[in-house]
Amino acid sequence: MRIKFNQIFANEHLTRSAARLMKHLCYFAIGFYVLCTVLSFMGRQTFFLHTKTGTFERAIYAEENYNLHSRGMTVSMGDDIHVWTNDNDQIAPAIQAGLSLMYAVHIIPMIFAWWFLGRVFSNINKGQIFTEQNSSYLLYYGILQLGSAVFVPFIKLLICRVVNLVSDSRMSISTGQAMLNMLIPGIAFIVAAYIIHYGVYLQDEVDHTL
């Protein structure tokens, strides 16, 4: 007898196993983001550097030799960040502080978002699917995605502006390129949260009717 394609995904054991795997992947992603944040604060975030001797594409604050192409572990936000050295041809500490702060603003919402998603998969692994808790977690995930897409780019620009006011070095940032890639999943998860919430409501109505 041929098993229908949709029946494979309706298998409870398979679904719980997949949910368990996804839960661990979510927590792995959280750990990876935390590590990246630490690397950023250690000065291992890449950017375009403009000095008196030339321009360097993947420079980092933690190294003085910007010609090096292999520096171990480095991180990037995916934005175009340009830094100009001061009169002494050095990068001011305020620039590094601003870079780390922008990276934290970029990553921290995603850490919380992945934690909420991990809780959803944890509940599914336990057989708890149509619950208010899952609806809330999915809603929080969607809101964090929307917030990251809409507000985080403006916060980065504000941080860049403040740093330029207090530093004798200068930097610029071009951000918001991934806005649509985050908006659409954010909206989709909010819709999914509503569907689960409505399903829970209908189940409660049936239970009270019976």
Side-chain angles (χ1 to χ4, degrees):
M1 180 178 178
R2 181 178 296 179
I3 301 176
K4 293 183 179 180
F5 185 73
N6 60 347
Q7 288 179 332
I8 296 177
F9 291 93
N11 183 282
E12 182 180 359
H13 177 72
L14 179 61
T15 301
R16 290 195 178 190
S17 298
R20 187 184 308 113
L21 174 62
M22 291 303 301
K23 177 188 70 172
H24 292 308
L25 288 177
C26 287
Y27 294 149
F28 174 81
I30 291 172
F32 178 75
Y33 284 144
V34 171
L35 173 61
C36 289
T37 305
V38 172
L39 289 173
S40 175
F41 277 92
M42 291 173 59
R44 306 201 68 83
Q45 182 176 344
T46 61
F47 50 86
F48 288 91
L49 178 63
H50 304 270
T51 70
K52 294 180 179 179
T53 58
T55 300
F56 304 91
E57 185 176 352
R58 297 186 70 253
I60 60 175
Y61 183 81
E63 295 285 351
E64 294 183 359
N65 186 358
Y66 305 118
N67 282 311
L68 292 176
H69 295 287
S70 177
R71 301 184 179 91
M73 297 184 66
T74 58
V75 295
S76 172
M77 293 187 296
D79 301 317
D80 289 331
I81 301 176
H82 292 258
V83 174
W84 287 264
T85 56
N86 56 22
D87 293 336
N88 297 322
D89 208 24
Q90 295 179 341
I91 303 173
I95 295 292
Q96 165 57 17
L99 290 170
S100 298
L101 186 57
M102 284 192 292
Y103 195 88
V105 168
H106 174 80
I107 286 294
I108 289 176
M110 301 310 302
I111 291 177
F112 283 101
W114 280 99
W115 185 84
F116 287 126
L117 195 59
R119 298 308 303 159
V120 173
F121 286 121
S122 178
N123 288 340
I124 294 174
N125 180 44
K126 299 174 185 176
Q128 303 169 3
I129 301 175
F130 284 94
T131 66
E132 280 291 347
Q133 192 176 58
N134 284 345
S135 175
S136 298
Y137 288 152
L138 290 176
L139 177 63
Y140 299 151
Y141 181 90
I143 291 174
L144 284 167
Q145 286 277 7
L146 286 177
S148 295
V150 176
F151 298 110
V152 167
F154 292 101
I155 297 175
K156 291 179 182 178
L157 291 172
L158 178 61
I159 293 172
C160 182
R161 182 176 179 82
V162 171
V163 169
N164 286 335
L165 289 175
V166 301
S167 173
D168 56 353
S169 297
R170 185 169 61 90
M171 72 173 174
S172 68
I173 181 172
S174 175
T175 185
Q177 296 91 334
M179 181 177 291
L180 282 179
N181 293 336
M182 302 180 72
L183 275 176
I184 295 174
I187 295 172
F189 274 94
I190 290 176
V191 172
Y194 170 76
I195 293 172
I196 292 181
H197 172 75
Y198 191 65
V200 173
Y201 168 77
L202 291 179
Q203 185 62 50
D204 288 340
E205 287 290 312
V206 172
D207 293 341
H208 283 91
T209 302
L210 297 177

